[in-house]
DNA sequence: AAAAACATTGGACCGGTGGACAGGGTGCGG
DNA sequence: CCGCACCCTGTCCACCGGTCCAATGTTTTT
């Protein structure tokens, strides 16, 4: 059974459309007794970030085996991370389409984890600064680069200095510079800063005609 | 349709039991043409860690919209991270129970991400510790800056050099450096490159105001 | 009024960066 | 065999970027 926790039910209009058979309760204490196969969706807009971790953790602990999904109308990454770190299994926008919510529910029900593409990229980036193929917007034309150039470009786009990139790739700093120079040339940028900006927004990369 | 990529089909006995209707092909090139709703499961035990990223990334790129799940008989976290970072949507043990594999397939099919509980904890740990490190100046939020600092930060975040920013704001290059140093301090970054990365979320970077 | 924060600039130092010369190695197709 | 593309490395040098030292005036807060 779907259970949403929110003192003001009107904030969950989309959610109720997604789960007509679901119930909205005002407080976490009223959520007790949710059986196996249930899901708890916790609305967090009224919860301070500093309290969020404890609230989620308590809810997860009090409802062993029942996945908790956090829902917010103003989601930000820090809150998402806190929630997930405290045991939440998903983080969903309160204004997401009902179909999307049902997808989230399906994923969570099968033991999966739901994170938005944005957050996912950030999480992965924090763990390893290796590669950054982002599913959503497609990073510029990294495909126009040779594998080595691409590797260097990615290191730099994660903030690495030439020395750090060299160490990471097991080559000399000089070689990093060489690859980087080729990358600048191909993308028509003058330095690493513009490269990062170009990779952030593919539209800014000049469609450099093949010379 | 379920497609598994592995030169030695006998390694995927469990997988074939989980997906009797699935097909095992020997190489990635033979996987082309997988339509929407398909999934590609890539067996990676014969792939070196250093090549894993590119292999997965290529597969993801060549099959736009088709989720890629990595499967291994000897999964380790580093390989999992590389694979996920390159665009894989799940990382599954080759000897997992067929029911488990079907669950993974369900999660992935609905846009979710499958990571084992172990890896999940590690990812969250890495992210939160990174946040803690950044907490010296809190997350990049331009509202924390003084007006002048903000102006400089914006110029730089659009790719300006110190000299250009100075000219644009009608101040000395030296003063730009001073403001910039304050910005670095507040955001806990070491240089302009990391600043741009910290401001990567376009929503937090308002358009440059013409001075 | 005293204290704190802000805006501005100077000089000097040093490491990082990028361009301009180079060169040698591999592998692949004509 | 000979280009061609890619990968790797070297030296030299001018410039940029970031940090340390410092100072002066204004505005805001206490």
């Amino acid at each position: 059974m779907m259970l949403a926790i929110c003192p003001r039910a009107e904030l969950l209009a989309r959610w109720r459309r997604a789960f007509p058979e679901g119930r909205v309760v005002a407080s976490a204490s009223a959520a007790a007794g949710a059986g196996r196969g249930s899901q708890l969706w916790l609305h967090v807009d009224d919860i301070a970030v500093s309290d969020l971790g404890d609230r989620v953790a308590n809810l997860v602990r009090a409802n062993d085996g029942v996945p908790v999904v956090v829902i917010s109308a103003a989601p930000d990454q820090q809150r998402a991370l806190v929630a997930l770190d405290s045991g939440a299994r998903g983080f969903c926008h309160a204004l997401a389409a009902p179909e999307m919510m049902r997808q989230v529910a399906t994923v969570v029900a099968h033991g999966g984890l739901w994170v938005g593409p944005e957050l996912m990229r950030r999480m992965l980036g924090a763990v390893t600064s290796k590669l950054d193929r982002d599913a959503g917007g497609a990073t510029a034309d990294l495909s126009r680069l040779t594998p080595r150039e691409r590797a260097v470009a990615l290191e730099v786009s994660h903030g690495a200095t030439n020395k750090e990139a060299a160490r990471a790739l097991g080559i000399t700093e000089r070689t990093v510079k060489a690859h980087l120079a080729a990358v600048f040339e191909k993308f028509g940028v003058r330095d690493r800063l513009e490269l990062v900006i170009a990779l952030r927004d593919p539209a800014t990369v000049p469609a450099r005609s093949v010379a």
Side-chain angles (χ1 to χ4, degrees), chain A:
Chain A
M1 193 219 290
M2 288 293 160
L3 250 179
I5 303 172
C6 179
R8 286 177 293 162
E10 73 273 15
L11 296 178
L12 293 178
R14 309 285 291 240
W15 186 86
R16 282 181 300 174
R17 204 154 4 122
F19 308 105
E21 78 290 0
R23 249 191 336 129
V24 177
V25 300
S27 73
S29 52
R36 202 145 276 281
S38 302
Q39 287 186 22
L40 287 174
W41 292 57
L42 177 65
H43 191 264
V44 297
D45 281 353
D46 299 324
I47 302 178
V49 179
S50 51
D51 298 336
L52 185 57
D54 284 342
R55 291 285 291 275
V56 172
N58 286 336
L59 196 58
V60 170
R61 203 179 320 119
N63 298 273
D64 188 39
V66 178
V68 172
V69 178
V70 166
I71 184 168
S72 165
D76 69 272
Q77 296 193 339
Q78 195 195 345
R79 308 184 103 208
L81 287 173
V82 170
L84 292 172
D85 203 16
S86 301
R89 293 270 294 283
F91 195 84
C92 183
H93 200 292
L95 301 180
E99 305 80 53
M100 170 75 79
M101 289 191 185
R102 281 193 289 268
Q103 287 223 338
V104 175
T106 302
V107 167
V108 171
H110 287 81
L113 175 79
W114 183 279
V115 291
E118 250 325 292
L119 181 57
M120 177 139 87
R121 195 149 38 86
R122 171 123 178 229
M123 289 176 60
L124 291 169
V127 178
T128 152
S129 58
K130 276 295 171 194
L131 300 171
D132 191 7
R133 308 298 194 298
D134 90 80
T139 341
D141 285 40
L142 284 176
S143 59
R144 292 197 337 222
L145 305 179
T146 70
R148 251 3 209 173
E149 288 167 356
R150 186 158 49 238
V152 172
L154 288 175
E155 288 296 329
V156 168
S157 76
H158 283 303
T161 65
N162 287 340
K163 197 172 295 183
E164 288 165 349
R167 181 160 206 84
L169 299 177
I171 56 180
T172 317
E173 188 179 346
R174 178 62 191 85
T175 309
V176 170
K177 286 170 139 191
H179 288 310
L180 214 40
V183 172
F184 294 160
E185 168 69 18
K186 284 186 179 176
F187 281 167
V189 297
R190 58 181 179 182
D191 55 32
R192 61 218 293 117
L193 189 61
E194 287 194 355
L195 174 64
V196 169
I197 293 171
L199 289 178
R200 177 185 66 195
D201 180 9
T204 65
V205 182
R208 184 157 190 80
S209 52
V210 188

